Amino acid sequence: MAWFRRTEEAKREKGPQSSESRISEPRLPATAERKAEKEDEVEQAESELTTPTSQSKETGLFNSRFQGLLAPVFTCFKDDDRRSLDVRPINRYAEWLRSQMISGVLINGVVGEGPMMRVRERKANCEYWQRAAVRHNLMIMVQVGGAPLPDVLSLAAHAELVRVSGVVTLPELFYRPHNVDQLVQYCLSVSSRCPTRPFFYYHMPSMTGVELDMVEFCSKAEKCIPNFMGLYYASADLEMGQRCLRIGRVVMLASTALLASGLMSGFNCSSLVVVNIRPDLVHRICDAFDDNELQLARDVQRELNQLIEIHTHDSQMEYWVVSMKNWFNKEFGSRQVGNFCAGPARIIR
């Protein structure tokens, strides 16, 4: 797809990262030593769950000209009674996504079960993903919402400290905003804790119950939130999303079923859960659109939607996440890409 290739070419023109901009770690040793290394990694992860970050490296920041595909990644959990956080697969996960020409990731989002995680788990997950993102030249967005306000503010401040590429927040989920002004004030409070990070609002009315005019919201947010960059748009209302498109604003389409329609409506940045599982089909849709083969784009979109329908059995979003994660683990198990698994979902069915 042309718009994605231009992004890739621009990155290549900058040349390889210097050794100072990379986080150097020894490669996995032989099998006999790998088990010991994993044990050390787990001990380090558990210690970092209770200690502040010392991360200082930075990935590329999102800007108003950003174009490409992002993956809202699944959080890796162990198959134990607590479904405890597992950071060991993160590097291989990031490496595989980059090999599939994916530009960046969203962590701790709805797909990543962020609202189901403790604050220290979310911070640890962010730090490990940030390291992997620097190593594999990925942008990283972190979702900080879905928690009590003090925790949301703490997560936003942590995202500023870790120097992620962008910060996303859900609205207040209990005392929901009833008008655009209330939503803008909430986002202003959160964004003030990460003032140098591009800030996005996560619009997902089917899950949050917050159904407000995003055209009005963007207009007001841009006037009073200095680091407001745009929307993470997970709504079926494509017409309103199209009206939000402006020069200097990023609107990320987050509905897989609407990818082909979104491309035709002017969206050039997408964050789709199926990118984790079948990036080949997503690329085929984008390539067909770039080649003006619109019927082919519609046909592949139909194929992708049917695959999603086969692997998901419930319309509720929380159960949909469980089904998609099971599909993800099944795909990786059949591809023999190494000992890689995101583990079970933490959501209880």
Side-chain angles (χ1 to χ4, degrees), residues 3-208:
W3 52 267
F4 183 77
R5 284 195 293 268
R6 285 194 294 270
T7 305
E8 291 294 302
E9 290 167 0
K11 289 180 179 178
R12 285 197 292 269
E13 288 175 359
K14 294 179 180 179
Q17 290 177 298
S18 66
S19 58
E20 295 180 356
S21 65
R22 294 181 180 272
I23 298 177
S24 58
E25 283 187 359
R27 293 193 175 276
L28 284 175
T31 305
E33 299 179 8
R34 190 172 299 172
K35 187 178 296 185
E37 184 186 62
K38 287 184 177 180
E39 292 175 355
D40 292 341
E41 198 174 38
V42 173
E43 291 178 2
Q44 182 182 3
E46 291 175 348
S47 67
E48 290 196 16
L49 285 173
T50 56
T51 56
T53 179
S54 60
Q55 180 72 30
S56 61
K57 303 295 183 182
E58 181 173 4
T59 55
L61 290 178
F62 281 88
N63 60 59
S64 60
R65 293 175 293 178
F66 176 77
Q67 299 176 333
L69 289 174
L70 288 88
V73 295
F74 298 101
T75 298
C76 301
F77 296 118
K78 299 176 184 176
D79 193 6
D80 55 22
D81 292 339
R82 295 189 305 164
R83 296 290 194 266
S84 50
L85 180 66
D86 188 2
V87 300
R88 293 170 296 178
I90 289 176
N91 184 61
R92 278 170 288 169
Y93 196 168
E95 182 179 16
W96 182 81
L97 288 172
R98 197 69 187 93
S99 73
Q100 301 301 307
M101 297 181 66
I102 306 305
S103 298
V105 296
L106 171 71
I107 65 166
N108 298 343
V110 173
V111 170
E113 303 176 81
M116 299 287 291
M117 299 166 64
R118 290 174 292 179
V119 171
R120 66 175 185 172
E121 289 179 314
R122 292 173 73 166
K123 290 180 178 180
N125 196 41
C126 178
E127 292 175 21
Y128 272 90
W129 266 106
Q130 170 70 352
R131 296 174 188 177
V134 171
R135 185 179 303 116
H136 299 294
N137 195 25
L138 289 167
M139 289 188 174
I140 175 174
M141 301 179 72
V142 58
Q143 198 284 122
V144 299
L149 181 58
D151 292 344
V152 174
L153 298 180
S154 176
L155 288 165
H158 178 262
E160 172 77 17
L161 179 64
V162 175
R163 302 176 69 80
V164 298
S165 306
V167 176
V168 187
T169 189
L170 289 161
E172 168 61 51
L173 299 180
F174 188 80
Y175 299 103
R176 297 173 182 167
H178 297 291
N179 56 58
V180 168
D181 290 335
Q182 290 178 351
L183 179 59
V184 170
Q185 286 303 309
Y186 179 83
C187 289
L188 178 60
S189 298
V190 179
S191 65
S192 66
R193 299 303 177 96
C194 50
T196 70
R197 303 297 95 186
F199 183 81
F200 297 81
Y201 170 64
Y202 198 137
H203 181 57
M204 192 179 196
S206 63
M207 193 78 169
T208 65

Side-chain angles (χ1 to χ4, degrees), residues 317-331:
M317 183 63 188
E318 59 269 25
Y319 298 150
W320 185 85
V321 169
V322 175
S323 298
M324 292 295 283
K325 193 171 190 181
N326 289 339
W327 182 18
F328 172 82
N329 287 328
K330 182 179 178 181
E331 282 286 326

